[in-house]
Structures are given as structure tokens and as C-alpha cells.
Amino acid sequence: MFFCGISGEPPQDSVVSSKSGHVYERRLIQKYITENGTDPLTGEKLEENDLITIKASPNTAPPRPPTHSSIPALLQTLQNEWDALVLETFTMKQQYNSIRQKLSYALYAQDAATRVVARVIRERDAAREALANVQASMGIAPSNANGPDVDMVDAGEDTGGLPAPVIQQIDETHQALSSIRKKRKAPADYVTPVQVKTFTAKHTIPSLHSSSPSGINSIALSKLNPNQFLTDGNDKIVQLYDRGTDKKVNHIALREREGEPTLLTSGNKTWSLHDLANFEPILHSPEADDSFSAMSIHPDGTLIGLGTPTSTIQIFDVRTGAVAASLTPDNTTPFTVNTLSFSENGYHLLAPNSTSSMAVWDLRKPKIAHSISLGDSFKVNEVLDDYSAQLLGVMGNEGARIYAHRSWEELIRFEEGGEVVDLAYGEQGQEIWGVSGRDVRIWGLSA
């Protein structure tokens, strides 16, 4: 057996010096020659090409170190191997328990998903039944509520636009309304901005809806009966109230327009157009990149505006479903466009351009014609143009404010009720209705 002249250990890759005849481990002698250039034992000059490889035959394993030759050493080796086996078993138990937990969670999630699907199916059936009841109350032929589910339009599919008869009807309505609107002036008995400055609190209808959860989200006034109004609250109830009798109306069937009106609905990342005569869908938009947070319909009926959580307003042409314009204010911190309102003249769009300011967009440019700062502490809840295109209303956490169109003068503030979440203009603009908490407040001219 050979031993390395440097390490004194049996070499794994042995070489012999052709000059001195000494045996070395190859890696050790090569390192020594690189640093010194001589034989480590004789001091003679030595180069790597002076080394000759020793080919041992047969190849044998190196001898067991002396420490493994005694009984105590063998016992220590066995103890180490036992410890390693115990540790490996412990690790396997941990992995086993982890896999059991993951499997239990997966089974629980599957069971929960099954329950959710069952609940959604029950809610769908209840919604179909409610829809059938509404159609019956409105005198509309019920649709096939028990038929197959409606196929959703894939985001990549082309909707193909509206049917030709619907487009023709929309174009005719657009031309008729546009020609009338451009020539129309505010009615003689409509309120003027000067009169709005004198508005005072006239009436408060308190404690509408449930106290838990409390709050009213929006209000809508009847055009045929100005004393009646609808509210929807956080208690998930829509309430019809008659101001003339100060009583809630428990049941009513209301259809204020005859003919074949259409309805626009928006939700999540799509919008759709339905025919109210049969509740059949006419157009369903592809899925957009952003969800929609607000919607307003142009007075001519050819355009809709949709707000997004990314500070952008998308203007769609309902005849084709295509984006007609995209409006984004410059140099602003990202915010959610939570409210929109087209002006009655059709040229302007009122919308927030930050959380504490509102802008009047000129749709003919398109660009912002004017911006109104409301103060850093003001947070916009709703904006609203009036029928005469003379007034601009904005509601927020500090109440409601009314501005004059074109002059942008602030006419009046309504702050006594605190936060106002929605607003409506009464008949001929003689009153302004606002929602604050569970109360509906009415302001108007002094008696």
C-alpha cells in the first residue's frame, strides 16, 4: 500500500515522481509544484510532466479509519446511524401530518363550495319567481323562467352590435330628441339660479327604513305623482313613500311610459341592453379590463358613460357596443369614478375628477371645460345635472351644494343634515330632495 509523502494518508489518485520515486496524492503535489516548483521531500526541481500516474489493480476501497476498528467506535457509528434514522422518521411523520391537514382542508373547501352552489341555485330560483311576479304586475308576458340558463358572452367574442330594427329606432329617437333639445329653453315656471339661493328647509321625513343596518342609498321621484318617491336602503328594501299622506305605500304597480322602452343595466365588468317589453337581452358587452363603478345614459339614448376604479370614464355607443371615447383627468391621484351625470343639452358630462372635486367635461372636444374644487375634506358621493341645464348638484360627506351652470357660481349649501348620499330635483326644480342617513330632507322656496 502506498502513502502520500505529503499527507501520510493512502492516496485516492496516486502519482509517483520520476526524479525522486516518492508517491503523492495528485491534487496535493500539483498544488505544491504550482507554489514552489520543487519536490517536497528532496527539494529537487519538479514539474507536473515529471509525475507518473500509478494504476492500481484491482481498485480497492481505502481502509477503514482506525477509529472504526474498535468496538466502542462501532457502537458510536451504530448510534449515529440510529439517530439519523429516528430523525428521518420524525420528518416523515411531520410531512404525513401536513398532507393530512391539506387533504382535510381540500375536502372542507369542496363541501363548502357545494353548499354555496346549492344556495346560489335557490337564490336564482327565487329571483326568477320574483321576476315573474313583477312581469305579471306590469302586464308583461312572462319569459321562460324555467328554461335553460342564459349563455354569457365570452370576453373575446364580438357582440355584433344591435339588431337593425333596434338601431333604426334608436337613431330616430336620437334625431327627434336632439332637434327638440337644441331648441328647448327652460320652462317659464322653472326655478332660476337666483331663486335657488333663497331655498330653505321645508320638510323632513325621518326614520325611513330599518335602523339596523341603517341608511338610505338613493332616491327617485315620480314624474306623474310628485308626492311619491322611492328609496332603497342598507336593509335591502325598496320603499315607496307618499309625501302627501306621510305614509308608506305597501303595494303598487307602476309603469309610467307606454310603448316599447328599453333598459340599460351595468354590473361588474360588463353592461347590457334589455327590451322591457319581454325582458329579453338585446346586447351584452364583452368583459372589460376594469370593473364599472357608475353609469349614466345620454339624453339622446345613443351613448352611455361608465365610471371605473382607475379614474377613467368610458363612453360607449349603444348601437355598436364600441368605446366612443375614454376620458381621464390629467395629473390626479388614482380614484374611483363613483358617479356620472350627462347634462340635458347633451354637450357636457358632470363627474368627479378627484375625490374632492368635480369636473364638467365638454364631449365635443373632449376635454374638461371647468373644474370645481370642493375642499380637501370634502368627499364626493354623487353629482347631478338638472333638467333645465342650469344647475349642478354635488353631494358628499359635508352635505350638498348647488352651482350655476356656465358661471360656476356656488348658489347654496345644505349642511344641516350632515352627509348627503343622493339628491333629486323636484317638479320644475321648485324643490330639491336629499337623502341623509335615514331621513329625506326637502329644500325649496319659502312659503
Side-chain angles (χ1 to χ4, degrees):
M1 180 177 291
F2 299 110
F3 293 92
C4 176
I6 297 176
S7 66
E9 298 277 338
Q12 300 294 318
D13 185 7
S14 55
V15 294
V16 62
S17 171
S18 62
K19 292 185 176 182
S20 65
H22 292 103
V23 177
Y24 300 99
E25 176 73 44
R26 182 186 295 275
R27 60 182 176 81
L28 296 178
I29 188 62
Q30 286 178 341
K31 188 178 296 184
Y32 188 90
I33 291 174
T34 301
E35 293 177 358
N36 301 287
T38 60
D39 190 294
L41 296 181
T42 64
E44 296 179 13
K45 183 179 179 181
L46 189 66
E47 297 177 352
E48 288 189 17
N49 56 9
D50 295 328
L51 301 176
I52 301 173
T53 301
I54 299 176
K55 298 181 179 180
S57 180
N59 293 325
T60 58
R64 185 184 295 273
T67 54
H68 290 177
S69 301
S70 64
I71 292 177
L74 290 174
L75 292 175
Q76 181 63 41
T77 301
L78 294 174
Q79 181 66 52
N80 293 338
E81 292 179 356
W82 170 257
D83 293 343
L85 182 61
V86 170
L87 290 174
E88 183 180 4
T89 303
F90 176 75
T91 302
M92 291 180 64
K93 285 184 178 180
Q94 284 185 319
Q95 294 175 349
Y96 168 73
N97 291 331
S98 176
I99 293 174
R100 283 192 61 182
Q101 290 177 351
K102 291 180 180 179
L103 179 59
S104 299
Y105 175 78
L107 293 175
Y108 173 78
Q110 181 185 18
D111 181 68
T114 303
R115 294 175 183 272
V116 170
V117 171
R119 177 176 57 81
V120 170
I121 291 175
R122 290 196 300 269
E123 292 178 352
R124 181 203 62 184
D125 294 340
R128 285 176 171 174
E129 183 179 357
L131 176 60
N133 293 336
V134 171
Q135 291 174 329
S137 66
M138 297 177 66
I140 298 174
S143 58
N144 185 13
N146 295 321
D149 291 339
V150 176
D151 291 333
M152 300 302 292
V153 176
D154 184 76
E157 293 181 1
D158 183 7
T159 59
L162 293 174
V166 177
I167 294 179
Q168 181 180 357
Q169 183 180 4
I170 291 177
D171 288 337
E172 292 174 353
T173 304
H174 163 69
Q175 294 174 3
L177 293 178
S178 179
S179 60
I180 295 174
R181 189 186 66 251
K182 291 178 180 179
K183 300 177 182 178
R184 186 181 63 213
K185 297 182 180 180
D189 53 350
Y190 201 91
V191 71
T192 65
V194 175
Q195 291 175 314
V196 172
K197 291 183 178 181
T198 66
F199 274 20
T200 58
K202 294 180 60 178
H203 188 52
T204 299
I205 304 171
S207 304
L208 295 178
H209 292 272
S210 172
S211 59
S212 178
S214 63
I216 301 174
N217 297 318
S218 60
I219 184 172
L221 305 184
S222 170
K223 294 181 180 179
L224 297 184
N225 188 344
N227 282 327
Q228 291 184 350
F229 62 95
L230 282 169
T231 59
D232 78 276
N234 290 324
D235 55 3
K236 300 181 181 179
I237 294 176
V238 176
Q239 211 171 73
L240 180 64
Y241 199 93
D242 193 323
R243 173 192 174 190
T245 60
D246 271 350
K247 293 181 180 180
K248 290 185 293 185
V249 178
N250 295 321
H251 177 76
I252 189 170
L254 181 64
R255 184 171 184 172
E256 296 190 342
R257 294 179 60 186
E258 298 297 332
E260 297 182 355
T262 56
L263 172 69
L264 262 169
T265 60
S266 173
N268 299 324
K269 296 183 178 181
T270 64
W271 59 272
S272 57
L273 185 67
H274 294 258
D275 191 333
L276 277 182
N278 52 25
F279 279 91
E280 291 295 327
I282 299 176
L283 176 68
H284 189 97
S285 73
E287 185 173 304
D289 294 333
D290 298 320
S291 58
F292 298 134
S293 51
M295 183 181 73
S296 182
I297 304 175
H298 192 273
D300 290 347
T302 57
L303 302 174
I304 63 168
L306 296 169
T308 70
T310 56
S311 313
T312 299
I313 303 169
Q314 301 283 0
I315 308 296
F316 288 86
D317 188 328
V318 299
R319 294 165 293 189
T320 63
V323 177
S326 182
L327 312 177
T328 305
D330 296 328
N331 304 322
T332 184
T333 303
F335 68 100
T336 297
V337 182
N338 58 349
T339 176
L340 300 169
S341 179
F342 283 102
S343 68
E344 187 60 27
N345 61 22
Y347 298 139
H348 299 107
L349 174 66
L350 183 62
N353 59 333
S354 74
T355 57
S356 56
S357 62
M358 66 175 177
V360 179
W361 289 87
D362 189 333
L363 299 177
R364 296 166 292 185
K365 307 292 184 184
K367 67 177 185 179
I368 294 179
H370 189 75
S371 178
I372 301 175
S373 176
L374 304 169
D376 294 338
S377 60
F378 194 97
K379 304 301 178 186
V380 177
N381 290 332
E382 192 81 15
V383 295
L384 187 65
D385 277 285
D386 81 317
Y387 176 77
S388 68
Q390 299 181 96
L391 307 176
L392 309 175
V394 58
M395 298 124 271
N397 61 321
E398 296 179 359
R401 303 177 188 179
I402 307 298
Y403 293 83
H405 203 290
R406 296 182 181 174
S407 70
W408 319 120
E409 177 189 3
E410 182 178 314
L411 302 177
I412 195 168
R413 294 188 179 188
F414 306 120
E415 300 176 324
E416 62 270 25
E419 181 174 19
V420 176
V421 298
D422 198 13
L423 182 144
Y425 298 101
E427 186 178 17
Q428 301 298 327
Q430 299 291 328
E431 294 179 336
I432 295 177
W433 299 50
V435 171
S436 180
R438 295 173 60 201
D439 301 340
V440 172
R441 298 176 180 272
I442 305 173
W443 300 275
L445 296 171
S446 301

